[in-house]
Amino acid sequence: MARVTAYVVQFALLCTFLAAFASAQKVSGGPVPALPAATLQASAGSFDVNAAVDTYLRKMPPSERARSNSYFEGGYWLLLWDFLSTIAVMWILLRFRLSMHMRDLAERITRVRALQTALYWVQFILFVSVITFPLTVYEGYFREHKYGLLNQTFGPWVREQAIMLAVSMVLGGILIALLFGLVRRLGKNWWVWGAVVSILFLTFVSLIAPVYIFPLFNKYTKLQDARIKDPILSMARANGIPATDVYEFDASRQSNRVSANVSGFAGTLRISLNDNLLNRCTLPEIETTMGHEMGHYVLNHAYKGVVMFGVVVVIGFAFLNWFISFGLSRWGETWGIRGMTDVAALPLAAIGFSVYFFLLTPVTNTVTRTMEFEADMYGLNSARQPDGEANVDLMLGEYRKLDPGPVEEFVFFDHPSGRTRITAAMRWKAEHPETASPEELARPLF
Ligand SMILES: [Zn+2]
């Protein structure tokens, strides 16, 4: 066992090294352009990048801008309320020994340890879902409607929540049973393998999700329109992506947000775009969006994400190990928890993980935001539609603050802001004046 543990520690060190390397690269090629305005102008003849950015930003009317800012900034507070409500609910489970009773019930029903753990999980997730339901309804239904971002009525919305609950009941049950199995077998060293198992499990889920989970919420059909399908497949071939079909999905049943993705691998590889993108966007806008998505694929962002997120998870599990030991040594008896191997300690683990990920928000956001910016650059280079790109960036500004301060963007943004993205597009356009599109520039969006 010692050799195995040493191997895992080496793997963790390697991950840390890779992440450090990746973030060092990021700093030197950072998303927010550091070039002074004079340089931008000098390199591009008469084209003024900053003026072009402002022209695009002005396409969004002030009322629309205010609505989007208010929606997005409200999201900062929701981070805090979600965090505090999780802590409160977990504390209730521990303090009133509800967690202990759930474990006792599971033990009365079956003698198989793994099943006991899964049965505990079912009670746990049901309790948490019910008690946080008012907050979920406010966040996911009323607030989205208030800002005009949800197309669903209450019935279908609740139905989707129920499907999500069922999915997390099954997948969460498997993961928790695996993790507590490890704790029982490995004792103090559980966290190293726990992190590895969690990473592998999350990777597996994200690979099967496009085929087995997403279709539970949306209908996927093959795109027939050759005027759109052919240019996309041509771009895919040119970029070495082995796709033979493009899929369309009916996201408009949930919202008007535009989105697309390239998902899966080998046999399950598919390019999908949503009907909002098809209905609201011109071909140049669709092409630049697909170029971005192909960038994620070609640049192996899914695998890089697993490595970087893996580092976060390994450190998180180490912290969790310490946090649970500390909590149980003080209050374990009061809460009726027998020790680390007892599944009734799960609410304590949830508190530890919430604290960790809450504090790490800027780190995890920066990991994804950096990759999103890379995909933007790939999209510009492959689709060569800087004006189309700027228009799509404005549409995304319907639900993401368009022009935040630099610290705000660093802390809260998991994608670059509209200003950052449009600046990149205009900087690219300045170097490729032949790609300018007066039609896209003049196209009204709001
Ligand atoms: Zn992206």
Side-chain angles (χ1 to χ4, degrees):
M1 192 53 66
R3 255 179 59 201
V4 175
T5 312
Y7 168 74
V8 175
V9 171
Q10 271 176 7
F11 172 76
L13 286 174
L14 178 70
C15 292
T16 316
F17 169 75
L18 286 173
F21 178 68
S23 61
Q25 277 191 324
K26 187 213 81 207
V27 173
S28 61
V32 182
L35 296 174
T39 319
L40 292 174
Q41 284 169 34
S43 63
S46 62
F47 188 78
D48 183 342
V49 171
N50 292 326
V53 172
D54 288 334
T55 306
Y56 267 107
L57 291 178
R58 273 197 300 272
K59 280 175 93 168
M60 185 184 271
S63 59
E64 177 70 14
R65 179 89 77 101
R67 191 196 57 83
S68 154
N69 286 355
S70 152
Y71 173 73
F72 199 78
E73 286 162 10
Y76 307 162
W77 288 102
L78 288 185
L79 273 177
L80 182 66
W81 301 135
D82 286 346
F83 169 69
L84 293 177
S85 70
T86 303
I87 305 284
V89 172
M90 296 305 142
W91 184 80
I92 290 170
L93 279 166
L94 294 169
R95 171 69 182 75
F96 299 101
R97 295 191 164 202
L98 298 174
S99 185
M100 181 192 85
H101 290 307
M102 289 177 183
R103 175 205 64 206
D104 290 347
L105 179 62
E107 287 180 351
R108 276 200 295 275
I109 294 174
T110 175
R111 304 189 58 152
V112 185
R113 299 300 290 272
L115 276 182
Q116 287 172 355
T117 310
L119 276 176
Y120 171 90
W121 170 256
V122 170
Q123 302 172 70
F124 173 86
I125 191 86
L126 276 175
F127 178 84
V128 173
S129 304
V130 169
I131 204 166
T132 57
F133 192 65
L135 185 61
T136 311
V137 174
Y138 165 71
E139 273 183 37
Y141 187 78
F142 288 112
R143 184 168 178 270
E144 294 291 307
H145 263 300
K146 183 182 153 200
Y147 287 99
L149 292 168
L150 192 71
N151 292 342
Q152 274 175 319
T153 52
F154 197 63
W157 182 84
V158 169
R159 191 179 149 269
E160 284 190 358
Q161 299 300 309
I163 297 174
M164 275 186 243
L165 177 62
V167 170
S168 42
M169 222 177 246
V170 174
L171 293 178
I174 296 171
L175 181 61
I176 297 293
L178 280 171
L179 287 177
F180 275 93
L182 282 175
V183 177
R184 279 181 217 119
R185 218 143 285 167
L186 302 178
K188 270 186 180 164
N189 293 327
W190 73 275
W191 61 273
V192 185
W193 277 105
V196 174
V197 165
S198 302
I199 294 162
L200 291 177
F201 188 79
L202 291 175
T203 309
F204 169 72
V205 170
S206 63
L207 285 176
I208 63 157
V211 183
Y212 295 102
I213 298 178
F214 297 167
L216 297 173
F217 301 96
N218 288 98
K219 218 174 101 193
Y220 285 73
T221 47
K222 281 184 185 175
L223 179 66
Q224 304 295 345
D225 191 345
R227 285 168 305 169
I228 294 162
K229 184 178 139 183
D230 291 350
I232 292 174
L233 286 177
S234 162
M235 262 177 79
R237 283 192 299 273
N239 287 279
I241 297 170
T244 47
D245 274 305
V246 178
Y247 288 81
E248 171 189 354
F249 60 101
D250 58 346
S252 60
R253 61 193 264 193
Q254 284 105 356
S255 79
N256 292 328
R257 300 179 188 206
V258 295
S259 132
N261 61 73
V262 177
S263 58
F265 71 115
T268 65
L269 183 87
R270 55 167 63 179
I271 298 173
S272 317
L273 53 168
N274 78 13
D275 54 351
N276 294 323
L277 188 72
L278 287 168
N279 295 334
R280 297 180 60 195
C281 294
T282 61
L283 186 58
E285 290 160 10
I286 294 173
E287 283 176 338
T288 195
T289 308
M290 295 317 299
H292 171 102
E293 300 305 334
M294 289 178 193
H296 281 312
Y297 179 81
V298 174
L299 299 169
N300 285 315
H301 281 167
Y303 303 105
K304 288 175 189 165
V306 166
V307 172
M308 285 194 262
F309 195 66
V311 176
V312 172
V313 170
V314 169
I315 299 170
F317 270 71
F319 166 73
L320 204 57
N321 189 40
W322 169 83
F323 185 84
I324 298 174
S325 307
F326 176 81
L328 289 185
S329 67
R330 302 214 157 192
W331 303 288
E333 261 177 60
T334 321
W335 295 334
I337 301 171
R338 296 172 194 139
M340 190 80 107
T341 55
D342 186 353
V343 70
L346 191 65
L348 185 61
I351 292 176
F353 240 39
S354 300
V355 170
Y356 179 71
F357 278 103
F358 182 71
L359 295 177
L360 244 64
T361 305
V363 175
T364 49
N365 276 346
T366 298
V367 168
T368 59
R369 194 178 61 249
T370 306
M371 289 196 283
E372 291 300 334
F373 188 76
E374 288 175 3
D376 278 356
M377 297 317 299
Y378 194 95
L380 284 166
N381 282 315
S382 55
R384 305 179 64 82
Q385 298 288 357
D387 290 296
E389 173 65 35
N391 277 342
V392 174
D393 297 336
L394 282 174
M395 282 187 212
L396 298 173
E398 287 171 2
Y399 58 87
R400 187 179 292 127
K401 191 173 179 182
L402 211 47
D403 194 6
V407 175
E408 192 180 9
E409 184 159 354
F410 175 79
V411 174
F412 293 113
F413 280 62
D414 60 357
H415 282 64
S417 70
R419 177 183 277 281
T420 300
R421 299 180 115 168
I422 295 172
T423 303
M426 292 302 107
R427 193 174 58 191
W428 194 93
K429 181 179 164 183
E431 301 298 335
H432 302 84
E434 73 285 0
T435 60
S437 162
E439 301 82 37
E440 285 290 327
L441 180 60
R443 191 167 106 78
L445 296 172
F446 301 98

